[in-house]
DNA sequence: CAGGATCCGTTTCGATACTG
DNA sequence: CAGTATCGAAACGGATCCTG
């Protein structure tokens, strides 16, 4: 046994600051739904296969807002609704999310799917396309 | 309001399969300590600044083992100790971890640090160096 | 009727004391 | 010193209620 000298010095690894976002199942699910599924409404998030419950969803939406990762506006046609959307900080998480997808595919590989093939072979294009989708929604609605 | 047609079809986004690993604060901390700090022992993980408690640590080490992300051997000098190490699947998470680091730096920016500058400007080299460190430990000890 | 707050039974977490 | 047992605290799921 022989511990190598780490090339990263103590407390210089800032992953800690992301633990509240990345290290939480529900925030990740919400971000996934917004980022890749184009969802914006409370009721849409409830439809995610993980069956998030309403109190948890409300809590995490608040948390993500206070962290500056998402924000919301009033629904233009329905005063009782809000439209949640990713801020630039939130959109910035796409690189993390894509790496997660690639990792799952590479090592935990579930059934092969054409969309994963596409993401794998055209990663930058996929990221750009996703960002464009998000931004075009923002331009129309904000 | 105008929901764009998502380019990712329902249930084709496999992030779900990573939620147990990525969506858990403590597993992420353990992986960080192994990956970047070169830690291998139970007692070393306890020294992380997040102050993981012993039962949670034991639980997560078990969980990570059962997921195939880490494995362990008996300590060569001390029968009561185990040496935990990242498997190939675990090492494969480095791209995710690095993206998290870059995201934190870009958007949540804490104090600027030289090591982050280094990671930012030489990302592939940093990844390679980290992998090499891990692999050289593995070669010596497994 | 939709968002989301509240209440409550159950599960999980985590700090600490403890064991080998 | 690695790992377990215990037990109070917190999170969760689900139903229900409230408000606009």
């Amino acid at each position: 046994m022989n511990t190598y000298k780490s090339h990263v010095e103590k407390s210089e690894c800032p992953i800690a600051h992301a633990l509240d976002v990345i290290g939480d199942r529900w925030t990740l699910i919400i971000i996934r739904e917004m980022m890749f599924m184009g969802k914006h409404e409370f009721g849409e998030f409830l439809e995610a296969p993980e069956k998030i419950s309403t109190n948890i969803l409300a809590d995490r939406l608040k948390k993500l807002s206070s962290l500056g990762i998402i924000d919301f506006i009033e629904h233009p046609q329905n005063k009782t609704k809000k439209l949640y959307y990713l801020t630039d900080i939130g959109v910035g998480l796409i690189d993390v999310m894509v790496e997660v997808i690639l990792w799952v595919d590479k090592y935990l590989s579930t059934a092969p799917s054409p969309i994963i093939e596409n993401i794998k072979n055209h990663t930058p294009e996929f990221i750009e396309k996703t960002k464009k989708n998000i931004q075009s929604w923002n331009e129309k609605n904000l």
Side-chain angles (χ1 to χ4, degrees), chain A:
Chain A
M1 153 66 178
N2 212 315
T3 306
Y4 62 81
K5 169 88 171 61
S6 168
H7 59 303
V8 179
E9 293 305 320
K10 229 184 171 86
S11 80
E12 283 189 321
C13 182
I15 284 176
H17 300 103
L19 289 175
D20 286 341
V21 191
I22 310 295
D24 180 80
R25 172 184 181 77
W26 299 117
T27 61
L28 283 180
I29 290 169
I30 294 168
I31 291 166
R32 179 195 66 195
E33 297 295 310
M34 297 180 85
M35 190 173 279
F36 299 120
M37 305 302 172
K39 293 185 181 176
H40 293 92
E41 300 179 20
F42 194 92
E44 290 177 322
F45 302 135
L46 290 179
E47 291 163 10
E50 285 85 0
K51 295 282 152 232
I52 187 163
S53 60
T54 61
N55 56 343
I56 304 294
L57 177 55
D59 178 77
R60 295 306 197 278
L61 288 171
K62 245 178 232 165
K63 189 170 154 187
L64 286 169
S65 295
S66 77
L67 290 169
I69 290 163
I70 68 172
D71 204 348
F72 58 86
I73 52 170
E74 196 178 72
H75 192 296
Q77 271 96 55
N78 185 338
K79 298 278 190 190
T80 76
K81 285 190 179 188
K82 283 176 182 172
L83 293 176
Y84 298 91
Y85 63 92
L86 292 165
T87 63
D88 288 348
I89 303 179
V91 175
L93 279 169
I94 188 165
D95 301 296
V96 174
M97 301 297 271
V98 166
E99 287 301 334
V100 174
I101 292 172
L102 294 174
W103 178 76
V104 171
D105 173 67
K106 189 163 179 186
Y107 297 103
L108 274 45
S109 84
T110 52
S113 97
I115 187 134
I116 299 295
E117 283 307 308
N118 177 47
I119 298 178
K120 251 194 300 194
N121 299 329
H122 309 285
T123 307
E125 292 83 352
F126 175 80
I127 290 175
E128 278 319 302
K129 174 139 198 237
T130 304
K131 282 187 185 172
K132 272 230 175 75
N133 278 346
I134 295 170
Q135 278 150 12
S136 76
W137 187 93
N138 289 358
E139 278 162 27
K140 265 183 217 138
N141 295 281
L142 302 189

Short mmCIF file of all heavy atoms in Angstrom, two decimals, chain A residues 5-37:
data_model
loop_
_atom_site.label_atom_id
_atom_site.label_comp_id
_atom_site.label_asym_id
_atom_site.label_seq_id
_atom_site.Cartn_x
_atom_site.Cartn_y
_atom_site.Cartn_z
N LYS A 5 0.80 10.91 -3.78
CA LYS A 5 0.59 12.33 -3.43
C LYS A 5 -0.45 12.89 -4.40
O LYS A 5 -0.25 12.92 -5.61
CB LYS A 5 1.92 13.07 -3.58
CG LYS A 5 1.84 14.58 -3.51
CD LYS A 5 1.93 15.10 -2.08
CE LYS A 5 2.08 16.62 -2.07
NZ LYS A 5 0.93 17.30 -2.70
N SER A 6 -1.54 13.32 -3.84
CA SER A 6 -2.59 13.86 -4.70
C SER A 6 -2.14 15.15 -5.36
O SER A 6 -1.41 15.93 -4.77
CB SER A 6 -3.84 14.14 -3.87
OG SER A 6 -4.76 14.90 -4.62
N HIS A 7 -2.57 15.32 -6.59
CA HIS A 7 -2.24 16.57 -7.29
C HIS A 7 -3.30 17.63 -7.05
O HIS A 7 -3.24 18.72 -7.59
CB HIS A 7 -2.02 16.32 -8.78
CG HIS A 7 -3.22 15.72 -9.45
ND1 HIS A 7 -3.80 14.55 -9.05
CD2 HIS A 7 -3.95 16.15 -10.49
CE1 HIS A 7 -4.82 14.27 -9.83
NE2 HIS A 7 -4.95 15.24 -10.71
N VAL A 8 -4.29 17.30 -6.25
CA VAL A 8 -5.28 18.29 -5.88
C VAL A 8 -5.13 18.56 -4.38
O VAL A 8 -5.20 17.63 -3.57
CB VAL A 8 -6.72 17.78 -6.15
CG1 VAL A 8 -7.73 18.82 -5.71
CG2 VAL A 8 -6.89 17.43 -7.60
N GLU A 9 -4.91 19.80 -4.03
CA GLU A 9 -4.68 20.09 -2.63
C GLU A 9 -5.97 20.11 -1.83
O GLU A 9 -7.04 20.38 -2.35
CB GLU A 9 -3.95 21.43 -2.47
CG GLU A 9 -2.54 21.42 -3.02
CD GLU A 9 -1.69 20.32 -2.41
OE1 GLU A 9 -1.81 20.08 -1.19
OE2 GLU A 9 -0.91 19.69 -3.14
N LYS A 10 -5.83 19.84 -0.59
CA LYS A 10 -6.96 19.81 0.34
C LYS A 10 -7.86 21.02 0.18
O LYS A 10 -7.41 22.13 0.02
CB LYS A 10 -6.42 19.80 1.77
CG LYS A 10 -7.05 18.71 2.62
CD LYS A 10 -6.59 18.78 4.05
CE LYS A 10 -7.40 17.83 4.90
NZ LYS A 10 -6.87 16.49 4.91
N SER A 11 -9.15 20.79 0.19
CA SER A 11 -10.18 21.85 0.18
C SER A 11 -10.09 22.73 -1.05
O SER A 11 -10.65 23.81 -1.08
CB SER A 11 -10.09 22.72 1.43
OG SER A 11 -9.06 23.66 1.29
N GLU A 12 -9.41 22.26 -2.07
CA GLU A 12 -9.39 23.03 -3.30
C GLU A 12 -10.35 22.45 -4.32
O GLU A 12 -10.43 22.96 -5.42
CB GLU A 12 -7.98 23.08 -3.87
CG GLU A 12 -7.10 24.06 -3.13
CD GLU A 12 -5.79 24.25 -3.87
OE1 GLU A 12 -5.25 23.27 -4.41
OE2 GLU A 12 -5.31 25.39 -3.90
N CYS A 13 -11.00 21.39 -3.96
CA CYS A 13 -11.94 20.76 -4.88
C CYS A 13 -13.35 21.24 -4.60
O CYS A 13 -13.96 20.86 -3.62
CB CYS A 13 -11.86 19.24 -4.73
SG CYS A 13 -12.92 18.39 -5.85
N PRO A 14 -13.87 22.12 -5.45
CA PRO A 14 -15.08 22.85 -5.11
C PRO A 14 -16.37 22.10 -5.41
O PRO A 14 -17.41 22.72 -5.52
CB PRO A 14 -14.96 24.09 -5.99
CG PRO A 14 -14.28 23.60 -7.21
CD PRO A 14 -13.42 22.42 -6.80
N ILE A 15 -16.30 20.81 -5.53
CA ILE A 15 -17.53 20.06 -5.76
C ILE A 15 -18.50 20.28 -4.62
O ILE A 15 -19.72 20.27 -4.81
CB ILE A 15 -17.21 18.56 -5.95
CG1 ILE A 15 -16.65 18.36 -7.36
CG2 ILE A 15 -18.42 17.69 -5.73
CD1 ILE A 15 -16.19 16.96 -7.65
N ALA A 16 -17.97 20.54 -3.46
CA ALA A 16 -18.80 20.79 -2.29
C ALA A 16 -19.91 21.80 -2.56
O ALA A 16 -21.04 21.62 -2.12
CB ALA A 16 -17.94 21.26 -1.13
N HIS A 17 -19.58 22.83 -3.32
CA HIS A 17 -20.56 23.87 -3.57
C HIS A 17 -21.70 23.43 -4.47
O HIS A 17 -22.67 24.14 -4.65
CB HIS A 17 -19.88 25.10 -4.17
CG HIS A 17 -18.84 25.68 -3.28
ND1 HIS A 17 -17.49 25.48 -3.49
CD2 HIS A 17 -18.94 26.41 -2.15
CE1 HIS A 17 -16.81 26.10 -2.54
NE2 HIS A 17 -17.65 26.66 -1.71
N ALA A 18 -21.57 22.28 -5.07
CA ALA A 18 -22.61 21.80 -5.97
C ALA A 18 -23.44 20.70 -5.32
O ALA A 18 -24.43 20.25 -5.90
CB ALA A 18 -21.98 21.25 -7.25
N LEU A 19 -23.07 20.29 -4.12
CA LEU A 19 -23.73 19.13 -3.52
C LEU A 19 -25.23 19.34 -3.32
O LEU A 19 -26.00 18.40 -3.46
CB LEU A 19 -23.06 18.77 -2.19
CG LEU A 19 -21.67 18.16 -2.30
CD1 LEU A 19 -21.07 17.95 -0.93
CD2 LEU A 19 -21.70 16.86 -3.08
N ASP A 20 -25.65 20.55 -3.02
CA ASP A 20 -27.08 20.80 -2.81
C ASP A 20 -27.88 20.61 -4.09
O ASP A 20 -29.06 20.28 -4.05
CB ASP A 20 -27.31 22.23 -2.31
CG ASP A 20 -26.89 22.36 -0.85
OD1 ASP A 20 -26.80 21.34 -0.16
OD2 ASP A 20 -26.67 23.50 -0.42
N VAL A 21 -27.24 20.84 -5.21
CA VAL A 21 -27.93 20.70 -6.49
C VAL A 21 -27.74 19.30 -7.03
O VAL A 21 -28.70 18.57 -7.30
CB VAL A 21 -27.38 21.69 -7.54
CG1 VAL A 21 -28.28 21.70 -8.76
CG2 VAL A 21 -27.24 23.07 -6.95
N ILE A 22 -26.47 18.94 -7.21
CA ILE A 22 -26.14 17.67 -7.83
C ILE A 22 -26.43 16.51 -6.89
O ILE A 22 -26.86 15.45 -7.33
CB ILE A 22 -24.64 17.63 -8.22
CG1 ILE A 22 -24.25 18.88 -8.99
CG2 ILE A 22 -24.30 16.38 -8.99
CD1 ILE A 22 -24.92 19.00 -10.31
N GLY A 23 -26.19 16.72 -5.63
CA GLY A 23 -26.34 15.63 -4.68
C GLY A 23 -27.76 15.43 -4.20
O GLY A 23 -27.99 14.91 -3.12
N ASP A 24 -28.71 15.85 -4.98
CA ASP A 24 -30.11 15.66 -4.59
C ASP A 24 -30.92 15.12 -5.75
O ASP A 24 -31.04 15.73 -6.82
CB ASP A 24 -30.73 16.98 -4.11
CG ASP A 24 -32.18 16.81 -3.71
OD1 ASP A 24 -32.44 16.34 -2.59
OD2 ASP A 24 -33.08 17.12 -4.54
N ARG A 25 -31.44 13.95 -5.52
CA ARG A 25 -32.25 13.23 -6.49
C ARG A 25 -33.32 14.10 -7.16
O ARG A 25 -33.45 14.11 -8.38
CB ARG A 25 -32.90 12.09 -5.71
CG ARG A 25 -33.91 11.29 -6.39
CD ARG A 25 -34.51 10.27 -5.40
NE ARG A 25 -35.50 9.47 -6.07
CZ ARG A 25 -35.22 8.47 -6.90
NH1 ARG A 25 -33.97 8.16 -7.12
NH2 ARG A 25 -36.18 7.79 -7.50
N TRP A 26 -34.08 14.82 -6.36
CA TRP A 26 -35.25 15.52 -6.90
C TRP A 26 -34.87 16.73 -7.73
O TRP A 26 -35.49 17.00 -8.76
CB TRP A 26 -36.21 15.91 -5.77
CG TRP A 26 -36.72 14.74 -5.02
CD1 TRP A 26 -36.51 14.45 -3.70
CD2 TRP A 26 -37.49 13.65 -5.53
NE1 TRP A 26 -37.11 13.27 -3.36
CE2 TRP A 26 -37.72 12.76 -4.47
CE3 TRP A 26 -38.02 13.34 -6.79
CZ2 TRP A 26 -38.46 11.58 -4.63
CZ3 TRP A 26 -38.75 12.18 -6.94
CH2 TRP A 26 -38.96 11.31 -5.87
N THR A 27 -33.89 17.48 -7.29
CA THR A 27 -33.47 18.62 -8.11
C THR A 27 -32.94 18.15 -9.45
O THR A 27 -33.21 18.77 -10.48
CB THR A 27 -32.40 19.47 -7.40
OG1 THR A 27 -31.26 18.69 -7.16
CG2 THR A 27 -32.90 20.03 -6.09
N LEU A 28 -32.24 17.04 -9.45
CA LEU A 28 -31.73 16.51 -10.71
C LEU A 28 -32.86 16.12 -11.65
O LEU A 28 -32.81 16.37 -12.85
CB LEU A 28 -30.84 15.30 -10.47
CG LEU A 28 -29.43 15.57 -9.98
CD1 LEU A 28 -28.68 14.26 -9.79
CD2 LEU A 28 -28.68 16.47 -10.96
N ILE A 29 -33.89 15.51 -11.09
CA ILE A 29 -35.03 15.11 -11.91
C ILE A 29 -35.71 16.33 -12.51
O ILE A 29 -36.03 16.36 -13.71
CB ILE A 29 -36.03 14.28 -11.06
CG1 ILE A 29 -35.41 12.92 -10.73
CG2 ILE A 29 -37.35 14.12 -11.79
CD1 ILE A 29 -36.16 12.11 -9.70
N ILE A 30 -35.91 17.34 -11.69
CA ILE A 30 -36.56 18.57 -12.20
C ILE A 30 -35.72 19.20 -13.31
O ILE A 30 -36.25 19.58 -14.36
CB ILE A 30 -36.77 19.58 -11.05
CG1 ILE A 30 -37.78 19.03 -10.04
CG2 ILE A 30 -37.25 20.92 -11.60
CD1 ILE A 30 -37.84 19.82 -8.74
N ILE A 31 -34.43 19.29 -13.08
CA ILE A 31 -33.55 19.88 -14.09
C ILE A 31 -33.60 19.06 -15.38
O ILE A 31 -33.67 19.61 -16.48
CB ILE A 31 -32.11 19.99 -13.56
CG1 ILE A 31 -32.04 21.03 -12.46
CG2 ILE A 31 -31.13 20.33 -14.69
CD1 ILE A 31 -30.78 20.98 -11.64
N ARG A 32 -33.57 17.75 -15.23
CA ARG A 32 -33.68 16.89 -16.42
C ARG A 32 -34.96 17.15 -17.20
O ARG A 32 -34.94 17.28 -18.43
CB ARG A 32 -33.66 15.42 -15.97
CG ARG A 32 -33.78 14.43 -17.12
CD ARG A 32 -34.13 13.04 -16.62
NE ARG A 32 -35.47 13.03 -16.04
CZ ARG A 32 -35.94 12.05 -15.27
NH1 ARG A 32 -35.17 11.01 -14.97
NH2 ARG A 32 -37.17 12.11 -14.80
N GLU A 33 -36.07 17.24 -16.47
CA GLU A 33 -37.36 17.47 -17.14
C GLU A 33 -37.41 18.81 -17.86
O GLU A 33 -37.96 18.92 -18.95
CB GLU A 33 -38.50 17.37 -16.12
CG GLU A 33 -38.64 16.01 -15.46
CD GLU A 33 -39.03 14.92 -16.44
OE1 GLU A 33 -39.99 15.12 -17.19
OE2 GLU A 33 -38.36 13.86 -16.48
N MET A 34 -36.83 19.82 -17.23
CA MET A 34 -36.82 21.14 -17.87
C MET A 34 -35.89 21.16 -19.06
O MET A 34 -36.20 21.68 -20.13
CB MET A 34 -36.38 22.21 -16.86
CG MET A 34 -37.30 22.35 -15.69
SD MET A 34 -36.77 23.62 -14.51
CE MET A 34 -37.47 25.08 -15.25
N MET A 35 -34.72 20.58 -18.87
CA MET A 35 -33.65 20.69 -19.87
C MET A 35 -33.93 19.87 -21.12
O MET A 35 -33.77 20.35 -22.24
CB MET A 35 -32.34 20.25 -19.23
CG MET A 35 -31.11 20.51 -20.05
SD MET A 35 -29.62 20.12 -19.09
CE MET A 35 -29.43 21.58 -18.10
N PHE A 36 -34.37 18.64 -20.93
CA PHE A 36 -34.48 17.74 -22.08
C PHE A 36 -35.91 17.51 -22.53
O PHE A 36 -36.14 17.13 -23.67
CB PHE A 36 -33.82 16.40 -21.75
CG PHE A 36 -32.37 16.51 -21.45
CD1 PHE A 36 -31.86 16.12 -20.22
CD2 PHE A 36 -31.49 17.04 -22.40
CE1 PHE A 36 -30.51 16.23 -19.94
CE2 PHE A 36 -30.13 17.16 -22.12
CZ PHE A 36 -29.65 16.76 -20.89
N MET A 37 -36.84 17.69 -21.62
CA MET A 37 -38.23 17.44 -21.99
C MET A 37 -38.99 18.73 -22.28
O MET A 37 -40.17 18.68 -22.65
CB MET A 37 -38.95 16.67 -20.87
CG MET A 37 -38.25 15.37 -20.50
SD MET A 37 -38.04 14.21 -21.91
CE MET A 37 -36.99 12.96 -21.17
#
